[in-house]
């Protein structure tokens, strides 16, 4: 059988905050630590009460953006080397304590690098109390006579307070006294350290003005630390187990019904005096994690948060008891945060757990810086980016303060030595950016509708009642008699008034004498009283006259003050306008600077790319030159080779032409001899026949008539004679090579060897060099150059 599911109740919405355009910037103060003699060079100079100048130390080179030049930074106030702790407290923490008494929250934290004096500023030393002990001292000096009894206010474990009646509070007090009566082990006893007893001089004690006397107050303190992004309670009492000790358990953050963050399960101790609060603080301070590093002998390895919670509730109409209504209880808190210092591992040379601690510290501080940057961008640009509060416990815990739940103030501690210049430069930039973040001004809490002065009337009523009881029952506990009784005793005593004898003439005259004496004393007292009254009246008249004149003077001064106020308001409006304009210009400058950085980065990238391409081009050019040199060598070798080849061929051609000319000369000689021999034979012979036209056409076009006989002489068309040398051409065709030609010429027939013509032709053929032989018409195909 399935059970019906319960309907889920919707989450209670956040209370609507009244819209208020009044915003205050985060108050950022700067404190410069005195430079010790062993530190050497100084890089910070205090120019005025609100400006410091940061200059790069000697030997530090400026980078390409000119980052290490002299720069000035402006704060709300700058505390120089000779600033005392009381001066710092009056300007920084005292207004936050005043707001705490008026039901307003406050956040004060110290920020800086390791060894810059943050812990000294927050805690102080013997005779020089810091911001924390002075805040507690001022708080208890202001509410001392108006504190409620212990356990009247009780935490409800949900970041709220409950009011108990007198009976429940008495039972809780008796239970606490019975627990304290049990003896503790010596190791668990906590004694007040002597250095805290002399921390604040009595002459430096201060108190707040205008404290509501018709309310009852109670102070609760808690002390936590954020170590490696985990929250630990420094006031938690854990039973020590010597066999198996347990490590401390971390706490978690939760959100209350008003959407405010708080540490769940954190110990809240009710304290009634400054000394008791000091004792609780020192008990938690001993558990805080500190270590020795290269830069600081006692370096804080965690962020410590000391929370002062003030609960106040109005008295009833009679001014005697506290109202039991929980809605009328107002709870305000002041958080004093001592942030761990940022550090570079290259300087501290941290290893192991120290390195891990430094990494977590730097990461949390970087998250704080990122949150401030996003808040500043949302306010100046009108964007609605999500602020990454949840990335770190320290920012998640204090997100409500930046959302308008109280004032935020920061004390930037700097060390002027030259070694911390780069870290100090980053701190200055963060502080400058933090001043531009505005936090909404908290609204005033509603006040109950009872008439004022209830406590005073109740005390006067009790005093009068005590006086009347004393008059009826005489002095109590040896108290002195009243003034009226002393005055009555100053009169002469009355004599006995009993008259027993009618003839007694002494009793009445003696009584009349005493009464006359008393009457004279009374008359004298009346005269003195009248004189005093007249003198008082004249003094009152004089005072009235002077008061009227002073009131007239005050009215005149008020008129002048009103004029001054109007001028100041107009000047404030002008200043606000100029500040907004300056902020807008600074924002534009930031945008231009970022754009310039982007362009410079692009320029550097393109320059590098151009340089790489130039180098590549140079390599290619060198390769090209090497290739050209190699090709020139090859060309020169090839040219030289072809020149030799051409020279050889030219020589061969010349030899061939010479051979041809020699052959032609030989033929011409032979023809001349033949012609001469033939002419000598013509008279005895018949006239030769004219050859036909077919023969005149030469060897290119041969007719069908029988070819002439080799060696036959025939007449040409022009009337001359010619000889057919067909056998010589046949001899060339049969002898393609020189050696074979020699052999075949020697083996030729006797008929061919006869005569000068054949012999000389064969010699010419033998002397012919090897070369290209071309085919002529009527000849056989000879060798080409490719056949060589």
């Amino acid at each position: 059988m399935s059970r019906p599911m319960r309907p889920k109740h919707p989450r209670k919405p956040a209370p609507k905050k009244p819209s208020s355009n009044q915003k205050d910037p985060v108050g950022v103060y700067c404190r410069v630590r005195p430079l010790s003699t062993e530190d050497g060079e100084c890089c910070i100079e205090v120019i005025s009460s609100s400006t410091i100048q940061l200059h790069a130390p000697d030997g530090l080179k400026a980078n390409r953006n000119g980052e290490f030049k002299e720069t000035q930074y402006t704060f709300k106030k700058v505390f120089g080397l000779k600033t005392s702790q009381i001066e710092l407290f009056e300007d920084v923490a005292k207004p936050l304590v005043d707001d705490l008494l008026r039901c307003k929250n406050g956040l004060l934290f110290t920020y800086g690098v390791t060894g810059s004096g943050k812990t000294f500023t927050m805690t102080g030393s013997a005779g020089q109390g810091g911001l924390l002990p002075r805040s507690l001292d001022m708080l208890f000096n202001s509410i001392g006579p108006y504190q409620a009894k212990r356990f009247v206010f009780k935490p409800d474990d949900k970041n709220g307070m409950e009011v108990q009646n007198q009976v429940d509070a008495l039972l809780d007090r008796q239970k606490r006294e019975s627990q304290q009566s049990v003896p503790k082990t010596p190791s668990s006893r906590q004694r007040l350290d002597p250095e805290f007893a002399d921390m604040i001089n009595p002459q430096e004690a201060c108190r707040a003005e205008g404290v509501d006397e018709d309310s009852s107050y109670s102070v609760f303190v808690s002390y936590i630390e954020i170590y490696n992004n985990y929250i630990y309670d420094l006031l938690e009492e854990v039973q020590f187990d010597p066999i198996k000790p347990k490590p401390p358990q971390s706490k978690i953050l939760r959100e209350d019904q008003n959407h405010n963050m708080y540490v769940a399960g954190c110990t809240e101790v009710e304290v009634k005096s400054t000394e008791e609060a000091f004792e609780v603080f020192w008990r938690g301070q001993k558990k805080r994690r500190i270590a020795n590093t290269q830069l600081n002998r006692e370096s804080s390895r965690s962020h410590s948060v000391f929370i002062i919670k003030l609960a106040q509730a109005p008295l009833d109409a009679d001014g005697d008891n506290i109202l039991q209504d929980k809605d009328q209880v107002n709870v305000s808190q002041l958080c004093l945060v001592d942030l761990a210092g940022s550090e570079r591992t290259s300087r501290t040379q941290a290893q192991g757990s120290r390195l891990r601690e430094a990494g977590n510290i730097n990461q949390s501080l970087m998250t704080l810086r990122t949150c401030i940057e996003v808040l500043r961008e949302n306010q100046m640009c009108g964007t609605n980016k999500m602020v990454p509060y949840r990335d770190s416990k320290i920012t998640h815990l204090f997100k409500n303060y930046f959302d308008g739940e109280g004032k935020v103030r920061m004390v930037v501690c700097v060390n002027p030595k030259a070694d911390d210049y780069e870290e100090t430069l980053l701190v200055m930039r963060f502080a400058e950016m933090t001043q531009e973040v505005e936090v909404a001004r908290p609204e005033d809490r509603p006040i109950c509708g009872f008439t004022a002065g209830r406590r005073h009337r109740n005390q006067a009523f009790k005093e009068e009642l005590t006086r009347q009881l004393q008059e009826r029952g005489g002095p109590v506990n040896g108290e002195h008699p009243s003034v009226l009784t002393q005055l009555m005793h100053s009169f002469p005593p009355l004599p006995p008034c009993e008259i027993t004898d009618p003839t007694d003439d002494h009793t009445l005259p003696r009584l009349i004498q005493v009464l006359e004496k008393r009457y004279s004393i009374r008359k004298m007292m009346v005269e003195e009283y009248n004189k005093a009254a007249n003198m008082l009246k004249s003094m009152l008249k004089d005072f009235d006259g002077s008061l009227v004149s002073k009131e007239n003077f005050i009215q005149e001064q008020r008129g002048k003050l009103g004029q001054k106020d109007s001028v100041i308001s107009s000047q404030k409006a002008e200043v606000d306008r100029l500040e907004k304009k300056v902020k807008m210009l600074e924002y534009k400058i930031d945008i231009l600077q970022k754009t310039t950085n982007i362009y410079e980065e692009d320029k550097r990238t393109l320059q590098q790319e151009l340089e790489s391409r130039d180098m590549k081009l140079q390599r290619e050019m060198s390769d090209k030159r090497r290739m050209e040199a190699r090709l020139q060598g090859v060309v020169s070798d090839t040219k030289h080779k072809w020149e030799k080849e051409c020279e050889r061929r030219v020589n061969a051609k010349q030899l061939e032409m010479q051979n041809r000319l020699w052959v032609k000369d030989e033929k011409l000689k032979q023809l001349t001899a033949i012609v001469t021999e033939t002419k000598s034979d013509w008279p005895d012979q018949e006239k030769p026949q004219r050859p036909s036209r077919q023969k005149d056409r030469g060897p290119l076009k041969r007719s069908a008539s029988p070819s002439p006989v080799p060696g036959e002489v025939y007449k040409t068309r022009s009337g001359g004679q010619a000889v057919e040398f067909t056998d010589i051409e046949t001899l060339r065709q049969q002898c393609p090579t020189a050696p074979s030609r020699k052999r075949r010429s020697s083996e030729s027939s006797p008929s061919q060897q006869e005569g000068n013509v054949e012999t000389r032709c064969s010699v010419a053929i033998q002397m012919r060099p090897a070369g290209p032989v071309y085919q002529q018409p009527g000849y056989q195909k000879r060798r080409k150059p490719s056949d060589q």
Side-chain angles (χ1 to χ4, degrees), residues 189-304:
R189 268 181 207 167
Q190 298 290 339
R191 298 183 61 187
L192 186 64
D193 284 67
E195 59 179 358
F196 281 103
D198 301 331
M199 215 170 226
I200 301 174
N201 297 327
Q203 294 81 7
E204 297 177 353
C206 59
R207 56 179 302 172
E209 301 295 335
V211 179
D212 186 10
E213 300 179 357
D214 296 326
S215 298
S216 290
Y217 303 88
S218 186
V219 180
F220 295 84
V221 296
S222 56
Y223 198 15
I224 63 173
E225 72 169 353
I226 301 176
Y227 176 74
N228 288 338
N229 208 23
Y230 289 98
I231 301 176
Y232 297 98
D233 186 5
L234 296 177
L235 302 180
E236 186 177 11
E237 296 291 342
V238 180
Q239 294 182 357
F240 178 72
D241 189 358
I243 300 175
K244 189 178 181 181
K246 295 181 180 180
Q249 298 295 323
S250 61
K251 305 297 181 181
I252 61 174
L253 291 176
R254 287 184 179 175
E255 191 175 1
D256 61 4
Q257 60 181 357
N258 296 324
H259 297 271
N260 294 325
M261 303 307 300
Y262 71 98
V263 181
C266 181
T267 304
E268 295 180 355
V269 181
E270 185 177 7
V271 291
K272 294 298 179 183
S273 64
T274 308
E275 292 75 15
E276 187 178 357
F278 281 154
E279 183 180 0
V280 173
F281 168 75
W282 188 247
R283 188 170 73 240
Q285 186 74 5
K286 290 180 179 179
K287 295 182 181 179
R288 188 182 175 188
R289 292 175 173 87
I290 59 175
N292 184 10
T293 62
Q294 291 283 344
L295 302 180
N296 195 354
R297 186 170 59 184
E298 293 182 358
S299 176
S300 302
R301 313 310 298 169
S302 63
H303 308 299
S304 66

Side-chain angles (χ1 to χ4, degrees), residues 295-398:
L295 302 180
N296 195 354
R297 186 170 59 184
E298 293 182 358
S299 176
S300 302
R301 313 310 298 169
S302 63
H303 308 299
S304 66
V305 182
F306 189 78
I307 303 174
I308 305 173
K309 189 176 291 187
L310 179 65
Q312 52 181 313
L315 299 175
D316 55 8
D318 297 333
D320 190 14
N321 298 319
I322 302 175
L323 287 177
Q324 300 295 319
D325 188 3
K326 186 178 180 179
D327 296 335
Q328 294 294 334
V329 180
N330 291 323
V331 181
S332 56
Q333 64 181 11
L334 173 62
C335 295
L336 303 175
V337 185
D338 182 12
L339 294 176
S342 60
E343 59 185 26
R344 292 187 177 182
T345 55
S346 59
R347 296 185 59 195
T348 58
Q349 298 179 2
Q351 296 178 357
S353 60
R354 299 288 87 80
L355 182 61
R356 180 188 177 192
E357 293 165 357
N360 286 298
I361 291 171
N362 294 335
Q363 181 64 33
S364 60
L365 295 179
M366 184 61 67
T367 304
L368 177 62
R369 182 186 182 91
T370 304
C371 293
I372 295 295
E373 288 179 351
V374 175
L375 283 173
R376 173 177 171 271
E377 184 178 357
N378 289 341
Q379 293 177 3
M380 298 188 68
C381 303
T383 58
N384 193 18
K385 293 184 178 180
M386 186 183 68
V387 185
Y389 290 118
R390 294 179 178 269
D391 292 350
S392 176
K393 290 293 192 301
I394 191 70
T395 54
H396 194 194
L397 179 59
F398 299 122

Side-chain angles (χ1 to χ4, degrees), residues 108-176:
L108 173 62
F109 59 95
T110 56
Y111 183 83
V113 300
T114 299
S116 58
K118 301 183 298 299
T119 304
F120 176 77
T121 300
M122 184 62 68
T123 306
S125 60
Q128 297 179 353
L131 299 178
L132 188 147
R134 293 182 185 275
S135 300
L136 288 173
D137 186 64
M138 177 180 175
L139 179 62
F140 283 105
N141 291 338
S142 303
I143 65 170
Y146 313 124
Q147 290 192 69
K149 293 183 179 181
R150 203 181 294 270
F151 296 109
V152 172
F153 291 95
K154 186 177 181 181
D156 60 355
D157 297 332
K158 296 179 181 179
N159 204 28
M161 288 289 173
E162 296 178 348
V163 181
Q164 295 189 126
N165 53 31
Q166 297 294 336
V167 177
D168 295 337
L170 179 61
L171 293 175
D172 289 340
R173 286 196 296 271
Q174 291 177 355
K175 183 179 179 180
R176 180 175 181 269

Side-chain angles (χ1 to χ4, degrees), residues 103 106 115 237 247 288 318 347 358 405 483 541 587 613 755 777:
C103 304
E237 296 291 342
R288 188 182 175 188
D318 297 333
R347 296 185 59 195
E405 289 294 334
V483 179
K541 288 181 180 180
Y587 176 69
R613 290 190 178 183

